[in-house]
Amino acid sequence: MVYTANRYFIINKPYNMVSQFVSPDKVGLLKDIPFIFPEGIHAIGRLDNHSEGLLILTTNKKVTKLLFESKVPHKRTYLVQVRDVVTEDNLKLLQTGVTIRVKGGGFYTTSPCEVMIVDKPINLYHRENEFKEGLPNTWLTITLTEGKFHQVRKMTDAVRHRCKRLIRLSIEDLALNNLQPGEVKEIEERTFFEQLKINCVP
């Protein structure tokens, strides 16, 4: 048997694209990105079709367990635009924990996390169906280590601020930086694991 080294990529997943190469639905797919990925590639830590930003693709099947099923939490940071002006009281609620509904119909109180009000980035790329300029809105950065289904959107909904745009900026030190929507960057294996702060495995 010939050993083939694993490969590691990050992309800036565009809006209105799912984190899959095949889907029965009529949606944008990763295979629509004009890049030749190696056989056996798959997405790690998927983003829904309305979310944008950092998505990991790799041929290494062990990464999901190491990164998202590990006892050691890993930080993920999101840039989030919400409707209306976030008050200090609501900001505090997001920081200390809000109750959201989770899969199965139960409820969960989110763990304390880092939430800050920020200015809209000056060079943020344009997206179709953007929130109309001039309407009251707030930009936040949210950094958390847990990942319930649609957690960030549910957190802002819980304080009555509908999420209008969600961009994953980084996972630990692996960052989106200036990568544009649909752009792909291959990462060397050692750098990939060092930036994610997990042990490198073959």
Side-chain angles (χ1 to χ4, degrees):
M1 175 180 282
V2 177
Y3 172 73
T4 302
N6 286 306
R7 296 177 67 187
Y8 307 86
F9 305 86
I10 61 171
I11 70 169
N12 184 343
K13 189 195 79 67
Y15 174 76
N16 206 25
M17 175 180 286
V18 296
S19 303
Q20 300 167 233
F21 284 91
V22 179
S23 173
D25 302 317
K26 294 182 179 179
V27 292
L29 298 168
L30 294 176
K31 70 179 182 64
D32 298 329
I33 292 174
F35 187 88
I36 300 174
F37 290 104
E39 185 178 350
I41 198 81
H42 63 283
I44 303 292
R46 293 179 177 181
L47 293 168
D48 64 49
N49 64 320
H50 288 152
S51 299
E52 310 159 65
L54 179 68
L55 184 66
I56 296 170
L57 297 173
T58 180
T59 57
N60 190 335
K61 296 180 180 179
K62 297 181 180 180
V63 173
T64 295
K65 185 173 183 178
L66 289 168
L67 189 59
F68 294 112
E69 298 174 15
S70 169
K71 293 181 180 179
V72 179
H74 292 88
K75 294 192 299 184
R76 284 153 278 175
T77 298
Y78 300 85
L79 177 67
V80 185
Q81 182 188 34
V82 298
R83 188 187 298 273
D84 299 323
V85 178
V86 175
T87 65
E88 287 297 323
D89 287 343
N90 282 345
L91 183 65
K92 188 69 173 179
L93 286 173
L94 290 170
Q95 293 169 337
T96 56
V98 293
T99 300
I100 62 174
R101 187 181 290 274
V102 294
K103 282 185 175 181
F107 292 90
Y108 174 79
T109 300
T110 61
S111 300
C113 62
E114 301 173 27
V115 186
M116 295 188 298
I117 296 175
V118 297
D119 293 329
K120 178 182 178 179
I122 295 175
N123 297 320
L124 184 61
Y125 53 85
H126 177 77
R127 190 204 77 181
E128 61 177 299
N129 301 323
E130 282 194 354
F131 191 60
K132 291 182 179 178
E133 290 289 340
L135 294 178
N137 69 97
T138 305
W139 288 87
L140 306 165
T141 55
I142 299 179
T143 299
L144 40 74
T145 56
E146 55 187 1
K148 301 297 181 182
F149 186 64
H150 290 168
Q151 179 167 331
V152 173
R153 295 182 186 277
K154 290 177 179 178
M155 286 173 63
T156 62
D157 280 349
V159 291
R160 296 185 174 86
H161 289 282
R162 184 72 179 272
C163 179
K164 303 302 296 181
R165 192 168 182 185
L166 190 154
I167 305 168
R168 183 157 62 197
L169 299 178
S170 64
I171 302 174
E172 289 292 351
D173 294 334
L174 187 62
L176 190 65
N177 293 324
N178 295 320
L179 211 61
Q180 295 301 300
E183 278 194 306
V184 181
K185 179 180 179 181
E186 185 163 9
I187 309 291
E188 188 270 332
E189 184 173 69
R190 182 174 298 277
T191 300
F192 177 84
F193 282 98
E194 285 178 350
Q195 291 184 341
L196 288 179
K197 299 181 181 178
I198 54 181
N199 292 326
C200 183
V201 294

